Amino acid sequence: MKVLIVASGSRGNAAIFEAGGTRVLVDAGVGPRVIARAIEAGGIGGPPHAIVITHAHDDHLGHAQKLARKLDVPVWVSEATARVARLTEAPRVRVFGAREPFAIGAITIAPLPIPHDAAQVSLVVEGGGLRAGIATDLGEVPPGLADHLAACEVLLLESNHDPELLSRGPYPAHLKRRIASARGHLSNQQAHAFLRELSPRTHTVVLMHLSGTNNAASIALEVARDALAGRAVTLHAASQSTPLLLDAAAPPPVALPGAPPGARGAVDQLRLF
Ligand SMILES: [Zn+2]
Ligand SMILES: [Zn+2]
């Protein structure tokens, strides 16, 4: 299975999962041109066959209708998202239960509700015997999330903000409270706590949805590296503007004795652009 992270951050999110000839776009927070450019740059076979939306925030849902019309593909949403999302112009809308796995071609998707200020789900995307999990837009790690993601070779995990930068930063107080709340976004430290207990099966971790104002990739990566010390895990920070291509079949890199904490594996992932 291949994963193309087209964009990740508060200005728009989109990732394409490809397995067995099926391609699924998870979230449509960037426009058709951005997605087409990332696909053309290589690595996956073509445009998506379906769109799955995690929740009804604009940075995930904003371009769903336009994309669905342009590609003539269905949009999948949870029951709760279906009630609030405006998708009247999408050619086909499919509704899934927030705890019920569903199939799109050769890909199976298992959702699990996670806490956010909109009905939100973490997804495990499975195809060709490999799994990639995505958990972004969550204020805290709920019981059951680690189990939900335990079988994943690849994990896309939110590492939204540095609490210090958030509290000193320019956002208004109500927004700071919202982001830091249990229904807001996961901080670098919360991601750290999750990564300390990372499933032994996971060989690639991508830090997602980094705030452009209240975080920096260098800080988020440093915190995550500390959590992964001694583990042979390939670690990336996803970007708002630079697509990232991952192969879930990449063999787990072997940890070398005396390797620095959080050492990257021998497998070089392809950065596009
Ligand atoms: Zn978001
Ligand atoms: Zn959100």
Side-chain angles (χ1 to χ4, degrees):
M1 178 166 53
K2 286 184 175 167
V3 183
L4 175 61
I5 301 170
V6 176
S8 180
S10 52
R11 285 188 286 120
N13 296 275
I16 300 172
F17 298 78
E18 180 180 57
T22 301
R23 287 177 295 278
V24 172
L25 174 68
V26 171
D27 286 332
V30 295
R33 232 176 291 161
V34 176
I35 289 171
R37 258 213 335 258
I39 292 169
E40 276 161 26
I44 62 160
H49 303 102
I51 300 170
V52 178
I53 300 298
T54 58
H55 66 299
H57 280 162
D58 254 11
D59 58 321
H60 300 260
L61 173 71
H63 293 267
Q65 287 206 119
K66 198 174 12 166
L67 265 164
R69 268 209 319 267
K70 204 173 161 75
L71 299 170
D72 191 25
V73 298
V75 181
W76 290 76
V77 288
S78 70
E79 286 154 350
T81 297
R83 284 195 286 274
V84 295
R86 278 187 303 276
L87 290 166
T88 47
E89 288 168 35
R92 295 179 295 288
V93 176
R94 306 261 189 270
V95 177
F96 62 85
R99 294 175 188 273
E100 288 162 28
F102 56 98
I104 300 173
I107 285 178
T108 303
I109 298 181
L112 180 81
I114 50 177
H116 191 46
D117 53 359
Q120 164 66 326
V121 283
S122 163
L123 302 175
V124 172
V125 182
E126 179 174 1
L130 295 164
R131 283 149 299 263
I134 178 163
T136 74
D137 299 74
L138 67 165
E140 61 183 7
V141 172
L145 182 61
D147 284 349
H148 181 64
L149 298 169
C152 293
E153 280 80 14
V154 172
L155 173 61
L156 315 184
L157 178 68
E158 177 162 61
S159 192
N160 175 258
H161 60 276
D162 174 280
E164 190 60 39
L165 286 180
L166 176 66
S167 74
R168 281 194 278 115
Y171 283 11
H174 71 91
L175 192 52
K176 289 180 182 179
R177 273 199 303 276
R178 193 215 129 207
I179 291 168
S181 80
R183 294 164 66 81
H185 290 274
L186 220 58
S187 72
N188 296 343
Q189 279 62 32
Q190 288 170 299
H192 181 278
F194 189 87
L195 291 175
R196 287 285 294 242
E197 309 292 327
L198 185 69
S199 161
R201 203 175 166 88
T202 306
H203 62 63
T204 300
V205 171
V206 186
L207 306 178
M208 302 287 285
H209 216 300
L210 270 65
S211 168
T213 307
N214 306 308
N215 208 354
S218 56
I219 299 173
L221 284 167
E222 192 186 325
V223 173
R225 262 187 220 116
D226 177 73
L228 295 168
R231 285 280 311 267
V233 169
T234 305
L235 179 66
H236 300 276
S239 141
Q240 187 69 79
S241 52
T242 306
L244 175 66
L245 180 69
L246 308 161
D247 190 343
V254 178
L256 301 170
R264 279 123 192 263
V267 186
D268 228 13
Q269 309 288 356
L270 175 63
R271 266 213 184 257
L272 304 173
F273 305 108

